[in-house]
Amino acid sequence: MSEDFKCLSCDKANYKLIEKAKNEKIETVWDRAEAMQPQCGFGEMGLCCTNCSMGPCRIVKVSEDGPKKGICGADEDTIAARNLARSIAAGSSAHSDHGRDIAHALYNAAKNPESGYKVKNPEKLISLAKEWGISTENLDIKDIAAKVAETALQEFGKPFGYLRFVDRAPEDRIDIWKKMNVVPRAIDRDIVEVLHSTHIGCDADYRNIMVAATRAALSDGWGGSMIGTELSDILFGVPEPHEIEANLGVFKENEVNLVIHGHEPTLSEAILVAVNDPELIELAKKQGAEGINLVGMCCTGNEIAMRHGIPMAGNFFQQELAIITGAVDAMVVDVQCIMPALSQVAKCYHTKLITTSPKAKIPGAIHMQFNEEEAIESAKKIVREAVSNFKNRRGNILIPQEKSKGFVGYSNEAIINALDGVANSTAHPMGTVKPLADAIKSGVLRGAAAIVGCNNHKVLHDKGHVELAKELIKNDVLVVTTGCGAYACIKEGLMSKEAAKFCGKGLATVCELVKIPPVLHMGSCVDISRILLLLSELAKFMNVDIKDLPAAGAAPEWMSEKALSIGTYVVASGVYTMLGVAPQVTGSENLTRFLTDDIKDIYGGCFDIEANPQKAAEKIIDHIEKKRKSLNI
Amino acid sequence: MVKILFEKDLCLGCKTCELACAAAHSAAKSLVGAIKENKISRLRIRTKGGKLKLEQCMLCANPRCIAACPTGALSKDKESGIIKVNKMACTGCGLCEDACPFGAIELHTFPTMCDRCMHSGKPLCAMSCPTRALKVKIV
Ligand code: SF4
Ligand code: SF4
Ligand code: SF4
Ligand code: SF4
């Protein structure tokens, strides 16, 4: 019977829970997606405009007498580009606001002992201070942290100059950005400019709209996200390889199950401290539980898995299923990718849905605001709420058996470390990307591809990620992954030692020698900034630009505005990027051609759209081989 | 008789026609009115097997809905061909809904189906469709 649900997800743990949901008459994302059919073609093509109240206006291309212009005269190119640009700006703002929160936490670590935050990696702090020209002489770590945090916060609104991290890009890249006038200047400013220029009666040239959108996206990748990643490493530690468990089988029948879901490690790190508090563990025991089982979901799960080996319970499409197990005592959420539907599902069980951010409240949930100034105390209150709910469990529990093991935690530092392990230290300088460059040049590795992004009902759950990853590693392409794609890969066993069996000969040899899995977990979605840096280092080492590398990106199941921002900054950084779901721009042939073709002549990277993972892999491999040829390797 | 032709290939699934229908049948003649007065649309754009499909009364020559009704509550208007409901006789059993081969009836207390907007003069679904996927033909 559970087999019937194969058409919805390629994850076995899910079949049983989807069946349980059906039996218990609980609606899930798959039901709502079905009820939503047909989905409006105007929205799908990006041809509906509500930017002013003369509208809504829709461009009708399918019939001759249908309107071809909005009431203000905006045509399909303008409308589709404005809609896309606004989504990119929203995505950039989500990532960047996350980065801002981390910078505030670093400031709290420096100035406010009550917060409980501490600098865990002073070396990375000092090296960033040096990079930013902050004098560290006669300053203790806290003073340096305060200065770095303040400097990071100024990146959001500084009136002059451009973002500091831009200088990390290869020179040729910066030249292209300068020529195109897309060098990100200040994060908030670049986002505001998109909102301004897409107001009614402002920018009508789709190419110029994309200039502003690209700048806002770059201020995410080389700005907000990079600040988020770097400062998180400073505060909470640089990720190192860990073996962990993943999938919905990580719940424990006899322990308090606390799911932490959302994005910002400021909350999850504090929750992690709280669940290890002896007093709270004692309280759990008094309730009849054997302990507290903290597990992660979506990107916040990636963050604590990478740094602390906490199990990864599931990705975006598994959030409702987690509650449907009946074993979740509390789901604690902060921001982004939290389905409002959770509140209804939680009501059908004993689960407490706890919202914590002033930026994200959900009707029906318990709101317990997380106060970063007293982070640990706030977290303890939240954990107490979870623990005290254990006794309210009802009988309808089903924890699936399915869970897999895999290695996570491949920060750039960890990757370089692993490679140094096999490099000949007398012949090679340590701590560089040389071994990686050598493996690529020799052809043992044909190249590298990043598989990132979300889940989307338009693609069979997880299959887009998994099939593409398998096809690529079979062809000796090293895969790095973040976000919900990382969950799909670890669940499928692609991050385990045994995964070498899926690889081509070259990649299998590398994995064995270096002792890495063929699919490297590089973190959460903001950590795509790590991938940018790795590419940048590799390009600099090989004396080329990022666009010349045999590398590609893919987002087979993407859905969020953040993904649009990522896609745009990655393409503008010179990377060929494959999308499994078409963005809502197809109503404008000009804009579609611009994104998939014209843009290549500008940035060297472009979007491509291919829903079939096999075909997508073929195209990516083809691209990689072309790049190898032009590099003469 | 007012026929409504559906050109599948033109339809974008926006459901503007459904909104217009509900509004047309509200006393306020507005969408807000329809929501407040609990008026529903008398046609539906659905997908079946991935294909778009229109559910709307076809004004059958030999209506199965009438045949199925055990209380004789449904009748066909001679001139316009639309199906009329005698609310005094209807028990809300739903047999007509099951009998209609086009899924055109929705039991909203009483059977509710397309009346070709007899009160408005023109079928408002077709008038509202931005892509002209619905076309009116008088026969
Ligand atoms: S901005 Fe122009 S196209 Fe958009 S709703 Fe207003 S009038 Fe219509
Ligand atoms: S209004 Fe027209 S295009 Fe929209 S759903 Fe109805 S028939 Fe289709
Ligand atoms: S309601 Fe159905 S069976 Fe009755 S006349 Fe209309 S289409 Fe025919
Ligand atoms: S003709 Fe009128 S009643 Fe019939 S579907 Fe169209 S709008 Fe509704």
Side-chain angles (χ1 to χ4, degrees):
Chain A
M1 169 72 182
S2 329
E3 294 292 298
D4 293 354
F5 301 106
K6 261 195 174 159
C7 52
L8 301 180
S9 171
C10 80
D11 179 341
K12 278 194 203 123
N14 291 354
Y15 307 161
K16 295 175 198 156
L17 288 163
I18 297 172
E19 185 178 12
K20 183 170 190 270
K22 281 257 158 5
N23 293 339
E24 293 171 5
K25 299 209 169 24
I26 291 160
E27 173 193 277
T28 63
V29 63
W30 288 280
D31 300 313
R32 292 188 297 274
E34 199 187 332
M36 195 56 70
Q37 303 312 316
Q39 285 177 277
C40 173
F42 290 103
E44 193 175 282
M45 296 189 295
L47 291 183
C48 173
C49 179
T50 55
N51 284 16
C52 88
S53 78
M54 293 198 288
C57 296
R58 290 167 302 179
I59 305 300
V60 176
K61 302 184 63 167
V62 287
S63 63
E64 265 181 26
D65 59 344
K68 302 289 182 285
K69 286 197 166 120
I71 295 168
C72 67
D75 63 10
E76 58 190 53
D77 300 334
T78 308
I79 290 178
R82 284 196 305 212
N83 290 342
L84 175 68
R86 287 192 160 207
S87 291
I88 291 171
S92 173
S93 66
H95 279 150
S96 299
D97 216 27
H98 166 158
R100 188 193 328 252
D101 283 349
I102 306 293
H104 275 293
L106 182 62
Y107 190 79
N108 271 321
K111 294 279 185 186
N112 179 5
E114 239 92 281
S115 71
Y117 293 125
K118 284 190 194 82
V119 170
K120 195 151 172 201
N121 193 322
E123 297 84 39
K124 194 155 181 171
L125 174 70
I126 292 167
S127 111
L128 182 58
K130 289 216 174 101
E131 181 184 335
W132 282 356
I134 298 166
S135 149
T136 54
E137 229 172 288
N138 301 328
L139 292 182
D140 69 9
I141 286 299
K142 282 192 177 169
D143 292 334
I144 302 172
K147 287 218 157 141
V148 167
E150 274 172 29
T151 312
L153 289 167
Q154 272 155 10
E155 292 294 274
F156 287 82
K158 62 185 181 190
F160 308 109
Y162 58 88
L163 294 184
R164 287 163 185 273
F165 282 144
V166 165
D167 289 333
R168 290 180 164 192
E171 253 168 62
D172 290 354
R173 193 49 26 193
I174 303 176
D175 285 344
I176 294 172
W177 292 341
K178 279 191 183 144
K179 209 171 87 206
M180 286 309 295
N181 189 21
V182 295
V183 182
R185 302 159 302 188
I187 300 161
D188 290 350
R189 176 183 178 191
D190 291 337
I191 292 166
V192 164
E193 190 164 309
V194 171
L195 298 181
H196 173 186
S197 64
T198 55
H199 187 273
I200 179 185
C202 225
D203 201 350
D205 179 344
Y206 71 94
R207 289 157 308 182
N208 199 47
I209 293 169
M210 285 313 297
V211 167
T214 302
R215 201 190 293 115
L218 286 169
S219 79
D220 168 1
W222 297 85
S225 277
M226 206 170 273
I227 289 175
T229 298
E230 297 291 278
L231 302 198
S232 292
D233 282 359
I234 289 170
L235 265 176
F236 308 122
V238 176
E240 279 166 19
H242 285 92
E243 189 172 30
I244 66 149
E245 288 183 333
N247 212 348
L248 294 168
V250 299
F251 293 123
K252 294 189 179 148
E253 180 106 43
N254 306 325
E255 291 190 20
V256 173
N257 289 311
L258 195 164
V259 182
I260 176 92
H261 172 21
H263 281 79
E264 299 185 2
T266 35
L267 172 69
S268 51
E269 290 279 339
I271 295 281
L272 180 63
V273 173
V275 296
N276 286 306
D277 183 80
E279 193 198 320
L280 287 167
I281 294 175
E282 199 43 48
L283 183 68
K285 290 194 174 145
K286 267 194 204 132
Q287 309 279 322
E290 284 168 13
I292 308 173
N293 180 33
L294 175 66
V295 301
M297 179 145 267
C298 287
C299 274
T300 216
N302 284 322
E303 300 261 2
I304 44 172
M306 292 266 287
R307 295 200 176 86
H308 306 285
I310 300 297
M312 293 161 57
N315 54 8
F316 182 60
F317 264 29
Q318 290 180 290
Q319 53 186 295
E320 291 166 294
L321 300 182
I323 296 181
I324 289 166
T325 62
V328 174
D329 301 297
M331 186 176 274
V332 180
V333 303
D334 58 0
V335 287
Q336 302 166 25
C337 304
I338 296 140
M339 290 190 188
L342 289 181
S343 155
Q344 265 308 311
V345 183
K347 284 217 156 62
C348 303
Y349 298 90
H350 77 300
T351 307
K352 283 189 178 167
L353 176 67
I354 302 176
T355 53
T356 59
S357 167
K359 296 169 202 164
K361 295 186 180 179
I362 300 175
I366 303 168
H367 187 72
M368 298 178 75
Q369 197 137 318
F370 177 64
N371 179 359
E372 278 160 28
E373 264 121 56
E374 331 164 307
I376 306 297
E377 276 317 302
S378 274
K380 280 188 190 162
K381 269 188 212 146
I382 293 167
V383 172
R384 190 165 295 126
E385 192 71 28
V387 168
S388 64
N389 196 29
F390 180 77
K391 58 177 185 303
N392 300 326
R393 278 213 195 154
R394 301 173 198 164
N396 50 354
I397 293 178
L398 179 107
I399 301 176
Q401 309 269 296
E402 283 79 9
K403 58 181 168 184
S404 341
K405 276 192 170 172
F407 287 86
V408 305
Y410 291 94
S411 55
N412 295 1
E413 289 87 336
I415 293 174
I416 288 174
N417 242 337
L419 289 164
D420 274 347
V422 287
N424 179 347
S425 62
T426 47
H428 300 292
M430 302 297 276
T432 70
V433 290
K434 183 169 189 299
L436 185 59
D438 288 347
I440 290 176
K441 278 189 203 155
S442 71
V444 193
L445 287 184
R446 304 308 295 171
I451 299 181
V452 304
C454 335
N455 298 135
N456 187 323
H457 68 91
K458 293 175 185 170
V459 180
L460 184 68
H461 176 231
D462 284 348
K463 193 172 173 185
H465 297 295
V466 165
E467 301 248 302
L468 179 60
K470 281 191 177 163
E471 204 54 37
L472 290 174
I473 60 178
K474 194 169 91 192
N475 286 284
D476 290 332
V477 175
L478 177 73
V479 170
V480 300
T481 176
T482 64
C484 286
Y487 281 85
C489 291
I490 191 171
K491 287 189 288 174
E492 187 69 13
L494 300 182
M495 294 178 185
S496 68
K497 282 189 202 128
E498 293 75 47
K501 67 171 183 263
F502 298 114
C503 302
K505 240 193 186 154
L507 181 56
T509 317
V510 172
C511 291
E512 205 166 297
L513 265 173
V514 187
K515 297 194 179 58
I516 51 168
V519 176
L520 297 178
H521 186 314
M522 291 190 73
S524 62
C525 290
V526 292
D527 289 337
I528 293 174
S529 63
R530 294 188 203 277
I531 302 177
L532 287 181
L533 287 180
L534 191 61
L535 289 173
S536 178
E537 288 308 307
L538 202 58
K540 284 184 203 163
F541 187 85
M542 293 171 69
N543 255 326
V544 294
D545 179 31
I546 296 174
K547 71 170 191 311
D548 305 316
L549 297 173
E557 305 181 25
W558 76 278
M559 61 87 203
S560 72
E561 291 172 313
K562 291 181 291 176
L564 282 174
S565 173
I566 296 169
T568 309
Y569 73 63
V570 165
V571 165
S573 298
V575 181
Y576 169 76
T577 301
M578 176 65 70
L579 303 176
V581 177
Q584 291 154 356
V585 297
T586 50
S588 159
E589 274 128 50
N590 283 332
L591 179 60
T592 308
R593 197 199 52 243
F594 178 79
L595 296 171
T596 54
D597 197 359
D598 302 353
I599 203 170
K600 213 183 319 175
D601 298 332
I602 308 171
Y603 297 110
C606 67
F607 287 104
D608 203 346
I609 301 162
E610 178 54 68
N612 178 311
Q614 254 77 32
K615 285 195 191 136
E618 268 166 41
K619 284 180 159 183
I620 289 174
I621 293 165
D622 196 46
H623 168 83
I624 286 177
E625 291 304 330
K626 264 193 206 132
K627 291 290 165 184
R628 295 189 65 91
K629 220 178 202 167
S630 11
L631 282 173
N632 273 325
I633 53 172
Chain B
M1 219 169 68
V2 179
K3 272 205 161 176
I4 295 178
L5 308 175
F6 179 51
E7 275 190 62
K8 222 198 256 119
D9 294 342
L10 290 183
C11 176
L12 288 177
C14 67
K15 294 174 174 270
T16 306
C17 52
E18 294 187 23
L19 301 182
C21 177
H25 291 84
S26 69
K29 297 271 178 272
S30 71
L31 199 50
V32 181
I35 294 164
K36 274 199 189 143
E37 296 165 33
N38 189 21
K39 295 291 184 218
I40 59 164
S41 169
R42 292 159 181 250
L43 85 167
R44 284 158 302 279
I45 301 290
R46 291 255 161 93
T47 42
K48 206 174 175 191
K51 289 209 180 84
L52 283 168
K53 164 181 139 212
L54 169 69
E55 289 177 356
Q56 186 177 33
C57 178
M58 309 295 282
L59 314 186
C60 307
N62 294 305
R64 294 210 205 154
C65 53
I66 296 182
C69 178
T71 65
L74 298 180
S75 59
K76 193 171 159 73
D77 185 80
K78 274 215 181 72
E79 206 183 314
S80 66
I82 64 167
I83 305 297
K84 301 228 149 170
V85 183
N86 177 348
K87 291 188 179 171
M88 296 307 286
C90 175
T91 60
C93 68
L95 289 181
C96 57
E97 189 181 18
D98 298 342
C100 172
F102 302 102
I105 299 182
E106 196 139 297
L107 204 63
H108 191 60
T109 316
F110 295 107
T112 312
M113 61 290 251
C114 171
D115 62 2
R116 297 297 190 263
C117 288
M118 290 318 272
H119 311 287
S120 307
K122 309 178 213 155
L124 281 146
C125 53
M127 299 297 115
S128 74
C129 173
T131 70
R132 314 281 176 262
L134 298 174
K135 287 198 178 70
V136 179
K137 199 173 162 201
I138 313 285
V139 290

